[in-house]
Amino acid sequence: MSSGADPATEAFVAHRNLLFTVAYEMLGSAADAEDVLQETWMRWAGVDLGVVQDPRAYLVKITTRQALMRLRALGRRKESYVGPWLPEPLLTAPDVAEDVELADSVSMAMLLVLETLTPTERAVFVLREVFDLGYDEIADAVGKNAAAVRQIAHRARSHVAARRPRGDASPAEIRGALEAFRRAVETGDLQGLLDILAPDVVVLSDGGGVKQALLRPVRGAERVVRVFATGLKRFGAAMSLEPAQVNGGPAMLIRLDGELDGVLAVRVEHGLVTGLYYVRNPEKLSRVTSETAIHL
């Protein structure tokens, strides 16, 4: 940004990655988050900066309000979505994984937990637990009083705590599990695949009604192996898996005959694969060709 940029533009650009992260964590959609940022800019450009004491807080407030409106609209769209809805995957830089709090907040597993909150609960949880905003700031952003926000935050925190993944995995365990998973799939070693899956592993896939996908979650290692056996029988010779980092965690870019077919995010706990999230919907694959900058 040149030194001749106006103050409104400079402030927006300085906080853009933060605002995108706020919107994305509320929406689970990069495309909708970008729309929210455009709407935020349009409103910010008309603000009298002379009355703004904290540009960052003011921009977060605008972003939150716009994201809340879009989140409610998204809820109606998701009601008619074909099969499971998964967040739009983001190719992220290695330093995101090193920031444990950030990586956890944008992980596929966490974003799916946030999907079970009401729009206001999700906004309050994200702003309080992820971005550590004060209750007064959050109240201003969501149109509630501070006392109500405290109650909402407590309720959302308890809800998320009861549903979020609890297991941990070291970087070495994640690398080992990912390599074992990849080797088993690429070689068609179904026993090797079974060995690396946790007994209660779950698979969700999102084709959006455009690509073939599982219409319901599949749970249990043996059932998951049967799903992979069917896929390998059909696509095995054409399939390749490329390790990647998506949403701050391990993933595979799945290619068929060299063309990107989807993104498989992998959750690893205690050295075993506990979650597989396969996004095939072509409309959700635009953010895996280059890294997306996110931060708290």
Side-chain angles (χ1 to χ4, degrees):
M1 180 59 61
S2 67
S3 59
D6 67 276
T9 302
E10 288 185 337
F12 184 83
V13 171
H15 298 296
R16 190 188 189 286
N17 291 344
L18 166 70
L19 301 177
F20 174 85
T21 308
V22 170
Y24 176 73
E25 292 202 17
M26 285 183 60
L27 299 166
S29 164
D32 286 291
E34 290 289 357
D35 287 344
V36 163
L37 259 61
Q38 187 170 359
E39 293 160 1
T40 297
W41 164 249
M42 291 172 62
R43 283 157 179 77
W44 174 246
V47 170
D48 178 4
L49 297 188
V51 301
V52 177
Q53 295 182 341
D54 184 344
R56 177 183 182 273
Y58 201 101
L59 282 162
V60 168
K61 178 177 71 173
I62 299 174
T63 300
T64 300
R65 289 179 175 176
Q66 296 305 311
L68 264 175
M69 288 191 291
R70 188 164 289 261
L71 185 58
R72 294 182 177 113
L74 273 177
R76 292 189 291 272
R77 277 164 38 192
K78 289 173 187 175
E79 289 175 359
S80 59
Y81 199 80
V82 178
W85 182 95
L86 289 176
E88 185 176 351
L90 306 178
L91 190 67
T92 50
D95 61 349
V96 173
E98 295 167 6
D99 186 334
V100 176
E101 184 178 356
L102 176 58
D104 178 64
S105 72
V106 298
S107 69
M108 285 283 186
M110 175 56 78
L111 291 175
L112 285 173
V113 172
L114 295 184
E115 283 290 310
T116 64
L117 298 172
T118 68
T120 301
E121 286 173 342
R122 185 166 183 169
V124 170
F125 181 87
V126 167
L127 295 179
R128 180 63 183 170
E129 299 300 318
V130 180
F131 295 96
D132 199 28
L133 266 64
Y135 290 113
D136 289 336
E137 288 181 282
I138 299 172
D140 194 26
V142 301
K144 304 281 186 181
N145 62 51
V149 166
R150 286 179 182 273
Q151 292 181 335
I152 294 169
H154 176 74
R155 186 167 64 244
R157 194 181 305 117
S158 298
H159 182 98
V160 170
R163 291 163 177 79
R164 74 191 306 166
R166 300 180 184 278
D168 294 320
S170 68
E173 285 179 320
I174 292 173
R175 287 193 299 271
L178 205 62
E179 179 54 35
F181 175 84
R182 179 189 182 187
R183 184 168 57 248
V185 172
E186 289 190 331
T187 62
D189 179 4
L190 298 183
Q191 182 59 51
L193 181 60
L194 184 64
D195 291 341
I196 198 59
L197 298 178
D200 58 350
V201 62
V202 60
V203 173
L204 293 90
S205 62
D206 177 343
V210 180
K211 289 283 194 75
Q212 185 177 1
L214 302 169
L215 294 179
R216 289 174 295 277
V218 174
R219 300 179 185 277
E222 292 186 358
R223 290 181 177 178
V224 170
V225 168
R226 286 199 291 271
V227 168
F228 272 90
T230 300
L232 289 171
K233 186 178 296 185
R234 183 177 179 186
F235 300 113
M239 182 187 298
S240 64
L241 285 71
E242 176 187 340
Q245 187 180 102
V246 168
N247 289 58
M252 295 286 182
L253 303 183
I254 310 296
R255 300 185 189 279
L256 296 179
D257 292 322
E259 296 293 325
L260 182 66
D261 179 74
V263 176
L264 182 68
V266 183
R267 190 172 84 237
V268 177
E269 299 175 59
H270 305 302
L272 295 176
V273 173
T274 58
L276 295 162
Y277 312 96
Y278 191 25
V279 180
R280 295 192 76 202
N281 185 345
E283 295 181 0
K284 294 185 176 183
L285 298 178
S286 64
R287 289 294 186 125
V288 295
T289 55
S290 60
E291 291 177 358
T292 296
I294 58 174
H295 68 72
L296 301 182

